[in-house]
Amino acid sequence: MASLKTQQKREIAIHISIWVTVLLLPYLLSSADEGYRIGGLPAAYFMLAGIIHAGIFYFNAFYLYPKLAHGWRWWLYIPCSMVLVMASFPLKYQIVAQLFPEVVLKNSAGLIFGPSVLVFAASLVYRRVSDGIRKERARKEYEAQHVAAELKFLRSQINPHFLFNVLTSMVALARQKSDLLEDALLRLSDLMRYMTYESQATRVTLEQEANYLKNYIELQKLRFSDSVRIDVQIRLDHETAGLLIEPMLLIPFVENAFKYGATGLEDPFINVRLEAAGGKLTLSLENTYDPDPFNDKDGNSGIGLENVRTRLRLIYPGNHSLVVGDEGTVFRVIFNLNLR
């Protein structure tokens, strides 16, 4: 809303500047030695005529054209336009006759009556161009809102089921009176805070996103204990860690690895490598998985990766690469992103 008001104020200021220039132009184009006259007409006349021209311009641009040039009333627009232009002729004639009787009209008729037609044409062009710009602006705003809504929906697609499993693990730790419970609760608190508040921002720092990944993985380690070999390496240089990234962008890759590589398999493992330097990020993952499509746990295999592809296409077109493949029972993902 604030930007719209600023835009309107800017447009008003431009209009005022243009018309002030138009009204003063006769004095700038003439000299006192010539009595401030252009083509036999005094500069004062052009100022008075400029007020009439402004009336023609704005009456057509903001009332006549919007009211009559569209829909079933378009046939009224032409005669009304002619009346508007022609009404200025006797008005300007009276200004000359009453205030500047020394002017010979036959030598100045073109300067008196021609500008009315030109100003009307200019108002028509202005209105059509202005409408086109307004429609384009509305289209872009709609697309931006649509993209924002789509991104919000895609972010919400992050699978929350692991939280229930983590809570179950915490119950077990509580029963065992384990010292790990306090650390797990703190990590879960950080995880939920990020998902609830920080991820609602348009962008977060890479360091924030990496910390979210760390907390997520630590809670997954708690869930699977020693049943899954989990190897994690995260290295960020100081400069790149402060760069901004779309929130919740990296988690689907890691979540997918735990979803399909941690249960029901022989000797399961998950390797996560996150490296960022020089403004570029590389995320590499390897995990065991069952290539048999009939063993899909919930029938939604691949949805997480398609989610990410859609978001990348919307936010980082031309600034990323994503390679997904498998070798036997090992699934691999290599994701590169230019954050600058």
Side-chain angles (χ1 to χ4, degrees):
M1 184 63 70
S3 60
L4 179 60
K5 290 183 178 179
T6 301
Q7 180 68 24
Q8 291 174 340
K9 291 180 180 178
R10 186 181 297 114
E11 290 180 1
I12 291 173
I14 291 173
H15 280 259
I16 292 175
S17 300
I18 291 174
W19 282 106
V20 168
T21 302
V22 169
L23 294 176
L24 296 178
L25 192 60
Y27 289 96
L28 299 176
L29 296 178
S30 60
S31 65
D33 296 337
E34 299 173 347
Y36 291 111
R37 303 179 76 87
I38 298 177
L41 288 168
Y45 163 77
F46 287 102
M47 287 192 67
L48 295 173
I51 297 174
I52 297 174
H53 296 155
I56 294 173
F57 184 94
Y58 289 109
F59 186 78
N60 178 65
F62 291 94
Y63 183 80
L64 204 60
Y65 184 87
K67 291 288 185 181
L68 300 182
H70 307 284
W72 64 271
R73 289 180 287 189
W74 64 269
W75 58 273
L76 288 172
Y77 179 65
I78 294 177
C80 288
S81 301
M82 294 177 65
V83 170
L84 175 64
V85 174
M86 294 177 66
S88 70
F89 295 165
L91 184 58
K92 288 195 285 186
Y93 176 84
Q94 288 300 319
I95 291 176
V96 174
Q98 297 298 323
L99 301 179
F100 313 105
E102 73 280 5
V103 174
V104 180
L105 289 178
K106 66 178 182 179
N107 296 328
S108 306
L111 287 175
I112 293 175
F113 303 124
S116 294
V117 178
L118 294 177
V119 168
F120 176 83
S123 72
L124 184 60
V125 172
Y126 167 80
R127 182 73 268 170
R128 292 182 65 85
V129 172
S130 180
D131 286 347
I133 293 174
R134 188 175 292 105
K135 289 179 180 178
E136 180 66 13
R137 188 182 299 159
R139 183 186 66 81
K140 289 183 178 180
E141 183 177 351
Y142 170 79
E143 289 180 352
Q145 292 176 349
H146 179 72
V147 169
E150 186 173 356
L151 288 174
K152 186 175 182 180
F153 171 76
L154 290 171
R155 289 181 191 177
S156 69
Q157 296 291 298
I158 308 303
N159 191 344
H161 295 305
F162 87 98
L163 290 174
F164 297 102
N165 293 313
V166 168
L167 290 173
T168 300
S169 301
M170 287 182 176
V171 170
L173 290 175
R175 288 174 178 172
Q176 298 170 9
K177 297 182 179 181
S178 172
D179 295 335
L180 298 176
L181 179 60
E182 181 179 356
D183 181 63
L185 287 171
L186 291 174
R187 290 185 181 278
L188 181 59
S189 175
D190 291 339
L191 199 72
M192 296 302 297
R193 184 184 301 109
Y194 185 87
M195 294 175 64
T196 305
Y197 299 108
E198 296 179 21
S199 68
Q200 300 305 310
T202 304
R203 293 287 189 274
V204 297
T205 64
L206 178 58
E207 185 176 19
Q208 289 175 299
E209 183 78 355
N211 288 336
Y212 175 73
L213 285 183
K214 291 176 183 177
N215 288 326
Y216 178 91
I217 293 171
E218 289 302 317
L219 288 175
Q220 289 286 20
K221 287 181 178 179
L222 173 65
R223 172 188 171 188
F224 293 108
S225 188
D226 296 329
S227 61
V228 180
R229 290 185 290 116
I230 302 174
D231 183 22
V232 180
Q233 294 183 22
I234 297 179
R235 293 193 293 268
L236 313 177
D237 70 18
H238 179 72
E239 179 185 1
T240 306
L243 296 179
L244 299 180
I245 188 174
E246 162 76 5
M248 307 291 286
L249 184 66
L250 304 180
I251 190 62
F253 295 115
V254 179
E255 185 179 58
N256 195 69
F258 280 97
K259 181 178 180 180
Y260 296 104
T263 58
L265 300 169
E266 183 178 351
D267 193 23
F269 70 86
I270 297 172
N271 297 329
V272 180
R273 303 283 186 277
L274 175 61
E275 298 181 355
K280 295 183 179 180
L281 174 154
T282 298
L283 176 65
S284 304
L285 296 103
E286 288 184 342
N287 62 272
T288 48
Y289 89 112
D290 189 344
D292 187 352
F294 294 102
N295 291 332
D296 183 16
K297 297 175 178 60
D298 58 8
N300 294 319
S301 178
I303 288 180
L305 293 180
E306 287 304 314
N307 179 319
V308 176
R309 286 192 176 99
T310 301
R311 295 171 70 191
L312 290 172
R313 186 176 67 252
L314 292 171
I315 309 168
Y316 298 109
N319 283 325
H320 72 277
S321 65
L322 176 60
V323 179
V324 178
D326 63 86
E327 296 179 8
T329 59
V330 178
F331 191 81
R332 290 185 174 88
V333 173
I334 300 177
F335 171 56
N336 293 288
L337 177 64
N338 186 358
L339 294 173
R340 289 177 174 166

